[in-house]
Amino acid sequence: MQRCLKFVKHLPAYNIIPTVVTVSEKEASYPVLDQSLAADIPEGIRVIRTSTNEPFEYYKKITGKKEIPYGGFANEQKGSVVQKFFKFLRGNLFIPDARVGWNKFAIKACAELLTKEKFAAIITTSPPHSTQLIGLELQQKFKVKWIADLRDPWTDIYYYKDLQHTAIARKIDENYERSVIQKANALLVTSTDTKRLFLAKAPEIESTKISVIPNGYDEEDFTEPSAPPQDAFVITYTGTITDIYNIEAFLKALAKLTTVHPDIPFQLRFVGKISSEVKEQIEDAGLQHLTHLISFVPHSESVKYLLSSTILLMGIPDVENNYCILPGKLFEYLAANKPIICIGPIHSDADHIIDECGAGRVFHYAAFDLIFDHLDQLSHAWKINHNLDLPFVNYKRYSRLNLTGDLAKIIRD
């Protein structure tokens, strides 16, 4: 959501005025809501909210759950027969996804706009990838230029196999994906490796058709000064985390570190959704006494937690095709100017950016010794100076304003 919100915020700076067509929050279902971000919508931007038809309210009533599934099913109980059944329904009755019920309402609203007014282009952003079918239909009906923004892989997304598609459902979904890649006038992706995945789906298209515009950070979100704590060594993780992030080696290394440096008051802070499996891993490592779990907070408050940290922890899921996973929070981590410890694949897109910016290090999931040695070095440095903020991080090109300039050029081209 933040990606398209920030595009809307900064496009007027490039003399491009967007109209937004989205779903009414009174009718849609979300895992979480952050109303504070609505303040980023510039004054005068037209936002059209439509009805929708989604199955999630029925899902909550049948399962008795208070929330709908997160992307990647971070809040789902593993091994549950009920959950497996609903995943099967999701994968085979709702193609490409369970948000497809919005399409007819969005197409109707867009058709009314395109009939009365002239637009340079339309941009569809996903997931949910069903949104790309809106662009496909509008392009065919109105011959309008269409940019497909694919924030994540489609049939290569790491939890795709959990949806238990039948052969027919998988084929339909693959055809949708290929049609979008082939027919969109331009495609946007967030990482180089995601571009490689999509090019492999349609090798006949020119590689220049796909542009890499990563997620970024908004400079206006980082106006407050950094405030590293002076009374504790605070390690912060923000966002969703489950057992597939495989941070057990880090937890064990931190546990050993507390015995080597008993004079340092370590704190491990998770801000956001954390699965029961990760909570068990924290307990197994004996870290529960120094771990603080903070549930979902507004984005501005999340940034404050980053700025009030000593170092930052990031994880990339230990799954297939994870070289292309480039979390949006990476860029906010960069803007926070703290040393980053990332647990994930070496030589991945995230690794290249962290290295390019001189912002920290990436460690393989099983690299216990290397993780411990690095934490030990940081601990010795902290004893000398409680402020471990980096002297220089080369991250400015990843500002949302600069990245929106890249989008503006594609729109004009």
Side-chain angles (χ1 to χ4, degrees):
M1 184 280 301
Q2 285 194 48
R3 178 177 173 86
C4 34
L5 174 69
K6 300 298 185 178
F7 282 153
V8 168
K9 176 180 178 179
H10 292 298
L11 276 172
Y14 297 94
N15 295 317
I16 295 174
I17 307 302
T19 291
V20 180
V21 177
T22 187
V23 65
S24 168
E25 74 267 28
K26 295 177 181 177
E27 298 189 39
S29 303
Y30 302 98
V32 292
L33 281 169
D34 185 356
Q35 298 286 8
S36 69
L37 285 167
D40 270 352
I41 303 170
E43 187 177 349
I45 293 296
R46 179 171 47 171
V47 179
I48 297 168
R49 300 185 181 276
T50 77
S51 296
T52 189
N53 184 11
E54 296 179 353
F56 293 112
E57 287 305 315
Y58 301 107
Y59 168 88
K60 289 197 290 186
K61 288 177 181 177
I62 294 171
T63 62
K65 287 181 170 287
K66 294 181 179 179
E67 57 185 17
I68 69 170
Y70 278 55
F73 310 104
N75 56 341
E76 296 294 281
Q77 182 183 352
K78 288 198 167 185
S80 164
V81 174
V82 173
Q83 300 308 329
K84 287 181 179 179
F85 172 70
F86 277 106
K87 286 179 184 178
F88 177 83
L89 290 182
R90 150 73 175 84
N92 294 281
L93 291 186
F94 304 99
I95 305 173
D97 50 67
R99 304 283 189 182
V100 71
W102 179 55
N103 285 22
K104 64 180 180 181
F105 299 98
I107 289 170
K108 181 175 183 293
C110 291
E112 291 175 359
L113 288 168
L114 290 165
T115 300
K116 298 174 183 176
E117 304 176 35
K118 184 174 177 59
F119 291 85
I122 58 171
I123 303 174
T124 48
T125 182
S126 68
H129 293 305
S130 55
T131 304
Q132 301 300 348
L133 305 186
I134 298 170
L136 188 63
E137 183 166 337
L138 292 173
Q139 182 201 50
Q140 293 171 348
K141 283 186 176 180
F142 294 92
K143 309 304 178 187
V144 64
K145 298 292 184 182
W146 167 38
I147 299 170
D149 179 35
L150 295 142
R151 305 187 308 271
D152 286 324
W154 191 322
T155 57
D156 295 298
I157 193 75
Y158 66 88
Y159 55 80
Y160 194 76
K161 61 181 182 301
D162 295 335
L163 298 174
Q164 305 171 56
H165 292 90
T166 61
I168 293 175
R170 187 166 57 251
K171 188 68 174 176
I172 293 171
D173 208 13
E174 289 171 349
N175 287 340
Y176 280 149
E177 179 184 36
R178 193 176 302 109
S179 293
V180 169
I181 297 169
Q182 290 173 333
K183 294 180 181 179
N185 298 98
L187 292 104
L188 310 179
V189 294
T190 59
S191 73
T192 303
D193 206 59
T194 305
K195 177 176 178 175
R196 177 191 61 79
L197 286 174
F198 283 125
L199 281 174
K201 309 282 184 182
E204 72 278 5
I205 70 169
E206 293 289 335
S207 110
T208 53
K209 180 176 176 177
I210 305 181
S211 299
V212 178
I213 299 183
N215 294 306
Y217 73 97
D218 195 333
E219 292 173 316
E220 293 182 8
D221 292 338
F222 288 85
T223 56
E224 296 292 324
S226 175
Q230 299 301 300
D231 58 347
F233 189 113
V234 179
I235 305 166
T236 299
Y237 180 102
T238 61
T240 298
I241 188 165
T242 70
D243 59 325
I244 64 169
Y245 285 71
N246 195 358
I247 64 166
E248 284 186 275
F250 172 85
L251 295 174
K252 291 175 181 176
L254 179 59
K256 180 180 177 181
L257 193 73
T258 62
T259 64
V260 175
H261 297 279
D263 53 330
I264 298 181
F266 291 102
Q267 289 183 20
L268 180 59
R269 185 164 65 188
F270 291 91
V271 183
K273 182 70 179 179
I274 181 170
S275 72
S276 58
E277 292 86 0
V278 176
K279 292 177 184 176
E280 289 176 10
Q281 291 171 6
I282 292 169
E283 292 179 5
D284 291 343
L287 296 174
Q288 64 271 26
H289 65 288
L290 55 81
T291 300
H292 300 267
L293 305 181
I294 299 161
S295 59
F296 176 81
V297 297
H299 178 253
S300 58
E301 195 172 335
S302 175
V303 169
K304 289 180 181 178
Y305 279 116
L306 296 180
L307 294 172
S308 63
S309 303
T310 308
I311 66 173
L312 303 176
L313 172 65
M314 191 174 83
I316 293 176
D318 186 7
V319 293
E320 191 177 358
N321 292 321
N322 61 355
Y323 278 71
C324 69
I325 297 177
L326 201 54
K329 69 184 170 197
L330 167 60
F331 303 97
E332 299 202 326
Y333 275 31
L334 294 175
N337 213 45
K338 312 284 180 179
I340 298 170
I341 292 180
C342 176
I343 310 302
I346 307 300
H347 305 307
S348 61
D349 289 329
D351 189 2
H352 291 152
I353 288 177
I354 290 173
D355 183 60
E356 166 208 341
C357 295
R361 289 185 60 183
V362 176
F363 297 94
H364 186 267
Y365 305 98
F368 169 85
D369 291 332
L370 292 174
I371 296 170
F372 173 79
D373 288 344
H374 186 61
L375 284 170
D376 187 45
Q377 291 173 21
L378 291 170
S379 299
H380 283 293
W382 188 83
K383 289 180 180 180
I384 299 169
N385 182 354
H386 293 351
N387 184 353
L388 297 184
D389 284 9
L390 299 168
F392 175 73
V393 179
N394 180 27
Y395 58 84
K396 294 292 187 180
R397 77 184 189 90
Y398 296 111
S399 76
R400 296 279 191 182
L401 179 62
N402 289 338
L403 294 171
T404 304
D406 295 339
L407 172 60
K409 184 178 185 304
I410 292 168
I411 292 171
R412 296 191 196 287
D413 287 348

